[in-house]
Amino acid sequence: MIRIAPIIHSRTYYCDFNPKFIVRPEGFSDEDISWIRKRILIATSDIDRIPNERWICINYKGKIIAGIVCFINKLIIKCDVNDNNFTKDEKGRNIYAFIGVVIENKTNNESINLDYKFLLNLYNKYISKLWEKKVLESIQCKYEEIDKNLINDNNSSIKEKVKSIKNLIIYETATNDKDLFNYYLSQNKSFCSNIINFNDVRTIINEDIFLAISISNNLIKRLKNEFRYQQKETDQNYIHNNINKERTENRLNKNTKFLILLAGIIILILLVILFSK
């Protein structure tokens, strides 16, 4: 039976982001929090530079962490509701958040529909309890059986063009990022949409952060050029090392031959001296 618990990373009116999440499931260790937070921070990176939201799902120890990163005022517009209670902090800054759920007991090919209204309602339910607190706090929640209305049978495959660099699957960012998210969520795989920072993409590749991401076509071109150059540099180093190795081996062979010749001459001289007596 699928069970879920909320997980939220957000400012409140007075407090900055809680490094242990303002809402999380019970039983998360510091190691769990650190591992998940690292991925959430990449998902929240440069969020003010993208026009829409970012979708993320992570597979961790058999559990799936899945949700949205966006500004709350934009999420309200998506939901077409009149709700401005939790959109700005005391400094007047627009609040963005990661809003999601931790899912357990989900098998492959089970689809869960995390739509805008569900996520906004989840946010409002818990942020209202912490909004005016002046000390950082975390609400820890129990897992509960999932509402059956969130489960659907839409398991359609992805038909978009796929590129790959090393072990990372790459899609070009498009309006179908939610479809990509739904697909990877149904497969219990890690995915993050709409990554725009080139250094973040490097980190994702080098540290194996996600299985798949979506990025702009310009970033795809930059990645191809960089990794093609790195491969060329690796090949050149390989050739250079082999040349040096061959030279060293040749020197060793010459020295060995000289020593054998010298030993032979010495033995011959000794034999001549021995028999002349």
Side-chain angles (χ1 to χ4, degrees):
M1 183 162 312
I2 300 176
R3 301 195 308 161
I4 62 173
I7 181 168
I8 298 173
H9 188 53
S10 174
R11 287 190 179 101
T12 61
Y13 187 72
Y14 293 109
C15 297
D16 206 348
F17 292 94
N18 188 329
K20 294 189 175 183
F21 300 107
I22 60 169
V23 181
R24 68 178 191 267
E26 290 182 344
F28 268 21
S29 68
D30 288 344
E31 180 184 356
D32 296 334
I33 292 169
S34 177
W35 193 95
I36 295 168
R37 185 172 179 269
K38 180 177 182 178
R39 285 143 181 84
I40 299 303
L41 289 181
I42 289 178
T44 58
S45 174
D46 293 310
I47 191 64
D48 56 332
R49 291 175 53 202
I50 64 174
N52 296 307
E53 66 276 358
R54 187 174 280 147
W55 295 95
I56 175 175
C57 53
I58 309 164
N59 188 321
Y60 179 65
K61 292 184 176 179
K63 292 180 171 62
I64 308 300
I65 299 94
I68 191 173
V69 176
C70 66
F71 282 93
I72 303 304
N73 55 4
K74 291 183 179 181
L75 183 57
I76 290 169
I77 293 171
K78 293 278 188 181
C79 295
D80 193 22
V81 295
N82 185 17
D83 181 0
N84 293 308
N85 291 328
F86 309 118
T87 59
K88 293 180 183 289
D89 66 8
E90 66 169 335
K91 297 178 181 178
R93 294 176 295 186
N94 287 325
I95 288 179
Y96 65 87
F98 164 71
I99 312 164
V101 292
V102 181
I103 309 165
E104 63 176 16
N105 303 331
K106 189 181 97 59
T107 60
N108 285 353
N109 297 316
E110 285 183 302
S111 294
I112 296 176
N113 183 26
L114 299 179
D115 62 24
Y116 295 118
K117 286 189 176 180
F118 170 81
L119 293 166
L120 179 60
N121 289 337
L122 191 69
Y123 181 79
N124 287 337
K125 176 180 177 180
Y126 290 98
I127 201 71
S128 61
K129 301 175 183 179
L130 298 169
W131 185 245
E132 295 186 352
K133 301 280 187 180
K134 293 189 176 182
V135 178
L136 282 176
E137 293 185 17
S138 289
I139 296 176
Q140 298 186 48
C141 304
K142 295 181 182 296
Y143 288 92
E144 297 180 356
E145 182 180 346
I146 193 171
D147 184 340
K148 293 181 179 179
N149 292 324
L150 292 177
I151 302 175
N152 61 53
D153 298 322
N154 182 16
N155 293 320
S156 58
S157 60
I158 297 299
K159 299 178 181 178
E160 283 71 18
K161 293 180 179 178
V162 179
K163 302 172 179 66
S164 63
I165 294 177
K166 290 193 172 179
N167 294 323
L168 181 67
I169 300 169
I170 298 174
Y171 301 87
E172 185 174 345
T173 298
T175 55
N176 65 343
D177 279 345
K178 180 59 161 54
D179 292 336
L180 289 169
F181 166 78
N182 287 337
Y183 171 75
Y184 281 96
L185 175 56
S186 73
Q187 300 299 309
N188 294 350
K189 305 292 186 183
S190 297
F191 168 77
C192 189
S193 72
N194 213 355
I195 300 292
I196 63 171
N197 187 304
F198 190 68
N199 289 329
D200 285 341
V201 179
R202 276 202 192 109
T203 300
I204 290 167
I205 292 173
N206 293 331
E207 299 184 24
D208 198 22
I209 300 293
F210 299 110
L211 173 68
I213 61 173
S214 67
I215 59 177
S216 70
N217 188 49
N218 285 338
L219 279 187
I220 291 173
K221 290 178 180 177
R222 286 185 65 186
L223 281 174
K224 284 183 175 179
N225 289 336
E226 174 164 310
F227 280 89
R228 186 182 299 121
Y229 170 77
Q230 288 183 355
Q231 184 62 48
K232 183 179 179 182
E233 186 177 55
T234 301
D235 292 343
Q236 288 175 340
N237 287 338
Y238 176 78
I239 293 170
H240 179 72
N241 290 338
N242 277 353
I243 290 173
N244 286 340
K245 181 181 178 182
E246 185 176 340
R247 287 173 177 170
T248 301
E249 288 176 349
N250 288 338
R251 283 197 298 269
L252 289 174
N253 288 337
K254 288 179 180 178
N255 291 338
T256 301
K257 290 177 180 178
F258 173 76
L259 290 173
I260 292 172
L261 179 61
L262 181 61
I265 293 172
I266 292 172
I267 291 171
L268 182 61
I269 292 172
L270 291 173
L271 290 173
V272 170
I273 295 172
L274 180 63
F275 286 107
S276 63
K277 293 180 179 180

